[in-house]
Amino acid sequence: MNRHTLFNIVVMTTIGLAALAGSAVGQETGDHKLIAPQDIMWGPAPPSLPYGAQAVVLYGDPGKEGLFAFRLRVPRGYHIAPHTHPKPEIVTVLSGTARLGMGTTADHDKAQILPAGSFFAVSPGSAHYFFADEDTVLQLNSTGPWGINYINPKDDPRPKM
C-alpha cells in the first residue's frame, strides 16, 4: 500500500469518526456525562467498517488522542474480516451473540461464542475477526485515535482513492 492510499484511508476514517462524535444526547456537567438509553441517536458506522452497522459515540472522540467509548450495533450475519488495531480494543457485548476469532483467516466455527455480558480485550496489532450470530450491540472503549487495518486490503470497505 502506498503512502497516498494510506493517507486517504486515515483521512476517511477520521472524518467518519468525527461525524460520530457528539452523536449521543445526554447530560454533561463538569466532571460527568449521563446518557439514557432512549437518548442514544444511532448513525452510520465509520466507513472503515462494513456496511450495515450503526454506531454512536458516547464519550470522547475516537479520532483524537484520549479516552473514548462508542457503541456498535450490527445485524445478524454481520462480519468484520481479519484486522488489527493500533491501540487496545476493549469490548463488552451488551446484547446479542458475537463471535471473536484470533488470527489472519476468518473461520466462523472456530471463533469463540460471546453471549451478552461477555467481555474481551485485544492487544494492539493482534489479528482478529468478528461475526454476529444475531442482532448484536457492542461497546468499545479505548484511547484514540482509533483505527482499523485489514489483513487483506481487499476486505477494507473504505473507498479506494
Side-chain angles (χ1 to χ4, degrees), residues 2-38:
N2 67 38
R3 258 186 197 193
H4 182 69
T5 302
L6 183 58
F7 175 77
N8 286 331
I9 289 170
V10 169
V11 168
M12 292 297 293
T13 298
T14 301
I15 289 169
L17 292 171
L20 288 174
S23 57
V25 176
Q27 289 183 309
E28 190 164 355
T29 56
D31 61 352
H32 70 279
K33 183 172 185 176
L34 303 170
I35 302 171
Q38 68 273 12

Side-chain angles (χ1 to χ4, degrees), residues 29-89:
T29 56
D31 61 352
H32 70 279
K33 183 172 185 176
L34 303 170
I35 302 171
Q38 68 273 12
D39 293 334
I40 292 175
M41 296 172 36
W42 295 96
S48 57
L49 295 174
Y51 179 78
Q54 293 182 308
V56 60
V57 174
L58 301 173
Y59 178 82
D61 183 342
K64 296 180 180 175
E65 289 290 331
L67 295 173
F68 70 86
F70 82 84
R71 289 191 182 166
L72 188 65
R73 181 166 62 182
V74 299
R76 178 181 186 211
Y78 191 80
H79 170 62
I80 302 175
H83 62 278
T84 63
H85 301 284
K87 305 275 181 131
E89 184 175 49

Side-chain angles (χ1 to χ4, degrees), residues 108-140:
H108 179 272
D109 295 334
K110 289 184 180 177
Q112 173 111 20
I113 298 171
L114 301 168
S118 297
F119 169 88
F120 65 89
V122 180
S123 298
S126 295
H128 60 286
Y129 53 93
F130 169 86
F131 292 95
D133 284 354
E134 58 185 316
D135 293 353
T136 300
V137 176
L138 307 170
Q139 181 161 318
L140 189 144

